[in-house]
Amino acid sequence: MARGGQGLARVAVVVRAGAAPLWWCGAVAAGVGVLPPGMTGRRIGVTAGAALFVAALAVVALVRRKRYDALARGAARAGKYDVLQDRAVTVRNWRRGHRWWLLLAFAAALGSSFAVPAAGGMLLAGAGTGLRLKAAWLGRRERSGETLLWVRVDWLDRRGGGPAGKAVKGLRATGVAAGDATPGGSRRRTAALV
């Protein structure tokens, strides 16, 4: 980076990066997993899966909120020479870093269907939904403060995640027009040129 600038990734994008793959892995695993009757039967499996879905959603959506709040309150303005990482790069880094974990989780969810049908897949889908809700919560926080929150790329873990991990000493802030992602981490829609 020129003149001491840092590479910065959007916090909400890092959080949201795992939402879609977890949800889709969970949905497919639950759909396939409901086919075998399992040891418990489909009705008990789906009921247990619904409970796991709600539990995973709540835990993932609510965990570390105080840490995010503390980091956001102490966010410093991004420097002139800081480089804002594209949304697509952040998402790609997270998904590449977690691809084996996602594959193992998918296989475990499918395998568990022979004991409790659909439950493992619904647990994964709940975790993905929880990540999306956490990103939406961060987006509301960014809109209310009219700032986007960024984390130094070198402070993320080796798999491209952990935007509120122990290595993160603080966040950077920019105006809401910076970068290519909206508050909450979704892709910014650009108006078509006429």
Side-chain angles (χ1 to χ4, degrees):
M1 306 294 156
R3 300 182 186 231
Q6 301 291 334
L8 303 178
R10 278 289 302 288
V11 173
V13 172
V14 176
V15 170
R16 189 184 171 109
L22 278 171
W23 192 89
W24 279 109
C25 284
V28 171
V32 173
V34 82
L35 298 176
M39 293 167 57
T40 62
R42 289 186 187 96
R43 183 176 176 191
I44 292 174
V46 171
T47 304
L52 288 172
F53 179 92
V54 172
L57 184 152
V59 168
V60 171
L62 298 175
V63 73
R64 300 187 73 109
R65 279 199 179 189
K66 288 183 181 178
R67 171 80 170 142
Y68 282 103
D69 271 332
L71 288 169
R73 279 194 302 272
R77 291 300 288 178
K80 179 178 180 180
Y81 296 104
D82 287 335
V83 177
L84 306 180
Q85 185 169 274
D86 288 345
R87 178 187 182 278
V89 174
T90 304
V91 170
R92 185 174 61 240
N93 289 344
W94 189 98
R95 291 181 181 171
R96 279 185 182 165
H98 291 82
R99 65 184 177 271
W100 295 113
W101 290 105
L102 291 168
L103 184 61
L104 285 171
F106 178 70
L110 276 180
S112 70
S113 296
F114 292 100
V116 187
M122 293 176 82
L123 174 68
L124 283 182
T129 306
L131 286 175
R132 188 170 290 263
L133 290 177
K134 182 181 281 185
W137 169 74
L138 283 166
R140 287 191 299 274
R141 199 181 198 301
E142 288 176 327
R143 281 188 195 92
S144 67
E146 295 186 354
T147 58
L148 300 181
L149 299 172
W150 301 78
V151 62
R152 281 177 47 173
V153 173
D154 59 332
W155 284 350
L156 295 174
D157 65 26
R158 61 188 177 87
R159 292 186 302 273
K166 289 181 182 178
V168 178
K169 299 169 182 68
L171 298 179
R172 304 277 176 92
T174 63
V176 292
D180 63 345
T182 64
S186 61
R187 186 178 298 117
R188 193 181 297 277
R189 288 173 176 78
T190 54
L193 297 175
V194 179

